[in-house]
Amino acid sequence: VSTKAAGGATGLLSSGRLFALSLGKKRALKEEFERVAIPHLQSLYTSAFYLTRNSAAAEDLVQETYLRAYRFFHKFRPGTNCRAWLLTIQRRLFLNQYRQKKHEPEWVDLEKLDRDYEAMLAGEPNGRPSDPEAIFCLKSLGDEVASALGELPEDFRTAIVLVDIEGLTYDEAAEVMECPVGTIRSRLSRGRRMLQLALKDYAAKRNLNER
Amino acid sequence: MDCERYKETVAAHVDGALAAPEEAEVRAHLELCARCSRIYEWESKAAGILKEKLRHLSPGPGLEEAVLARLREASSGERTLFAPRIAWAAALALGVAGLLAAYLAMNRRGAPDLFADAVAKYHEASRAAPGEASPRAGPQVFGLERWGYAPVVTYVERVGAHRARVSLYRGANGEYLLAREIEGIQLVVPSGAVKRRLSGREFFAYSRDNVNVVAWKDGELACFLASAAAEEKLLELARRVPAGS
């Protein structure tokens, strides 16, 4: 009987010890999560801002992203790109919220884009040779670039944010956007053209105002 | 390589993101094509300037603290979940949530997600595809053999009460392409999809599990193309399929 009682006591002790161990493990996990994930706060905020186009909504989205990432931290593979992993979670969260709000997808007229782009490359109507520097008056452009990027349709905007701001590779960007890498290529090509055309319009409007 | 393909590839070329064989193909094209050379020159300058101007944005000063506080909260909440009494309550709550989710899923069955279905169908058909193309007598869906796609298999199936025709094709690079048309079904567009307008017609582009889907409505038919090929390629094919065919 005494052996049984002793065994039971040991059993109780070891479950208490297990509980304490699991608490210690959780604390270590949280610290590890903060160590690897928090340094990407600015990247997540930038991407969230370009997704939501609103700073308060962007901050909410970043917080939700961190919470979700923490819950699924056991799925993160150490040695892979943590920023890309966080950005994937963030975009999924955003698209789910977007779906709930039943937003209409945005229209893109690809033929018009090609026509406008060709016209820009062909130069001004007076036959002046065109040059990107001259057309966008880029030296004096500041916030207009961020505003123009914010105006692009979501998939083009996100491709530019991921590759041109976050510096992800095409393969990583394809993982974040959950699409084939060929789609990233074409979204970037088209997105950059849309951005150039928008900046050309900004510059033209400003020149008109200055005159 | 032709000018149309270069147009889709120019960003990757400017960024040095092409694999060596494709890079060689692009260089060969640029040597022969003055127009694309000019586009390359322009795009490299423009991309350089834009990258310089596009920067990270700074969040408000309290964001990091707010994130850390929520993590602390989540972490302490998680611990209480493991306390035995609360574990029973949590299990009960999960059970109720599961039943509710099952009930909601049953009610949602009325409007199937045809886009996700096209992706699943693509995976299923390309996995089961025979090694050799075996064109069947009779018309293939959308007649894509006109543009160099080899028909692999064509069959008729039902989607709920609706009749559907499916053709699986194989492209010049060995990639599979699924063409599917469903009669008299409503085309419900999921909100990850993007609308595209080409030649005055409307298309929906959607991407999931590394498969692109392009869909459109042609009278009573809901039409789908699904493939791992680039979205632009699918859009171009969809645009070529004449309406009412």
Side-chain angles (χ1 to χ4, degrees):
Chain A
V1 173
S2 64
T3 323
K4 264 188 192 172
T10 321
L12 276 175
L13 272 179
S14 29
S15 56
R17 203 178 138 78
L18 271 174
F19 189 63
L21 267 176
S22 91
L23 282 187
K25 237 183 182 177
K26 277 186 204 320
R27 200 168 301 129
L29 194 75
K30 183 172 154 283
E31 278 165 15
E32 175 63 5
F33 177 76
E34 288 178 2
R35 190 184 65 78
V36 300
I38 295 295
H40 302 297
L41 185 86
Q42 201 182 17
S43 289
L44 284 191
Y45 175 75
T46 303
S47 156
F49 180 84
Y50 281 116
L51 284 170
T52 60
R53 301 189 265 202
N54 172 307
S55 54
E59 294 203 351
D60 287 349
L61 181 57
V62 170
Q63 291 190 28
E64 293 305 321
T65 303
Y66 272 115
L67 278 182
R68 179 164 284 249
Y70 174 58
R71 271 178 44 209
F72 291 98
F73 190 44
H74 57 279
K75 290 198 172 171
F76 172 67
R77 281 168 293 149
T80 57
N81 188 335
C82 182
R83 192 156 35 121
W85 178 67
L86 291 166
L87 288 166
T88 309
I89 294 174
Q90 179 161 274
R91 185 161 184 274
R92 270 190 210 152
L93 267 175
F94 168 75
L95 287 178
N96 285 340
Q97 291 172 2
Y98 188 82
R99 258 170 221 151
Q100 278 163 14
K101 287 181 191 155
K102 293 202 164 62
H103 282 290
E104 274 287 292
E106 296 151 288
W107 278 111
V108 179
D109 189 334
L110 296 179
E111 284 174 348
K112 183 174 180 305
L113 172 69
D114 286 349
R115 272 198 311 275
D116 292 350
Y117 178 76
E118 293 284 335
M120 181 170 74
L121 245 66
E124 303 293 305
N126 61 13
R128 263 188 310 171
S130 52
D131 179 85
E133 187 83 42
I135 285 200
F136 315 147
C137 303
L138 268 164
K139 288 215 168 91
S140 53
L141 275 183
D143 293 346
E144 288 94 336
V145 184
S147 313
L149 177 60
E151 293 297 314
L152 301 192
E154 192 275 323
D155 45 351
F156 297 94
R157 192 165 77 222
T158 301
I160 291 183
V161 169
L162 295 178
V163 173
D164 288 346
I165 301 183
E166 293 307 330
L168 297 192
T169 64
Y170 280 48
D171 286 331
E172 288 168 339
E175 261 182 51
V176 173
M177 295 188 73
E178 299 177 271
C179 66
V181 73
T183 307
I184 294 292
R185 284 181 182 186
S186 66
R187 284 183 186 170
L188 265 178
S189 296
R190 305 250 192 216
R192 285 184 188 165
R193 286 174 187 193
M194 289 178 192
L195 197 53
Q196 293 171 39
L197 286 166
L199 291 175
K200 180 178 168 259
D201 288 346
Y202 272 115
K205 266 184 213 151
R206 201 174 42 189
N207 286 344
L208 213 64
N209 289 341
E210 280 169 5
R211 259 175 222 164
Chain B
M1 160 119 2
D2 57 22
C3 299
E4 203 52 35
R5 231 184 99 203
Y6 183 68
K7 201 161 73 180
E8 304 299 335
T9 317
V10 63
H13 180 217
V14 165
D15 292 342
L18 293 178
E22 210 173 355
E23 177 69 30
E25 218 184 307
V26 162
R27 279 172 195 265
H29 175 69
L30 292 192
E31 270 183 31
L32 297 171
C33 179
R35 186 168 156 270
C36 287
S37 292
R38 182 146 186 270
I39 289 179
Y40 172 67
E41 205 182 303
W42 172 286
E43 292 279 352
S44 351
K45 267 194 209 167
I49 302 168
L50 289 176
K51 276 187 191 178
E52 216 174 90
K53 296 274 174 184
L54 288 168
R55 289 177 197 284
H56 278 112
L57 307 171
S58 295
L63 183 61
E64 182 169 342
E65 197 31 61
V67 167
L68 291 173
R70 290 197 67 182
L71 286 177
R72 269 194 302 275
E73 218 174 87
S75 149
S76 58
E78 206 173 69
R79 275 177 215 168
T80 56
L81 262 184
F82 288 89
R85 255 179 287 170
I86 298 177
W88 280 108
L92 190 67
L94 274 175
V96 171
L99 284 174
L100 191 67
Y103 172 76
L104 288 175
M106 271 170 68
N107 276 325
R108 228 181 275 153
R109 250 182 231 163
D113 182 349
L114 297 174
F115 286 72
D117 201 34
V119 172
K121 190 80 9 204
Y122 165 82
H123 283 308
E124 185 190 301
S126 52
R127 261 198 304 267
E132 288 295 309
S134 54
R136 212 183 75 122
Q140 322 289 330
V141 177
F142 308 145
L144 302 184
E145 60 274 24
R146 281 172 282 184
W147 299 295
Y149 284 85
V152 177
V153 62
T154 294
Y155 54 91
V156 176
E157 60 177 1
R158 297 205 80 82
V159 178
H162 307 271
R163 185 174 174 271
R165 286 177 69 237
V166 178
S167 287
L168 184 71
Y169 293 90
R170 191 177 262 176
N173 302 323
E175 80 282 12
Y176 285 110
L177 175 75
L178 181 101
R180 189 188 204 198
E181 54 181 27
I182 310 173
E183 287 172 4
I185 201 164
Q186 197 194 345
L187 185 61
V188 180
V189 182
S191 32
V194 187
K195 282 188 197 170
R196 298 273 194 268
R197 189 175 279 134
L198 282 169
S199 308
R201 290 164 63 198
E202 294 171 358
F203 300 92
F204 299 92
Y206 174 82
S207 194
R208 182 170 170 161
D209 300 338
N210 281 334
V211 176
N212 282 315
V213 178
V214 166
W216 67 98
K217 196 81 183 148
D218 182 6
E220 279 297 293
L221 290 175
C223 306
F224 297 86
L225 285 177
S227 170
E231 180 185 287
E232 305 297 336
K233 205 168 176 183
L234 294 188
L235 278 167
E236 179 51 27
L237 264 180
R239 187 183 67 81
R240 286 191 204 167
V241 175
S245 65

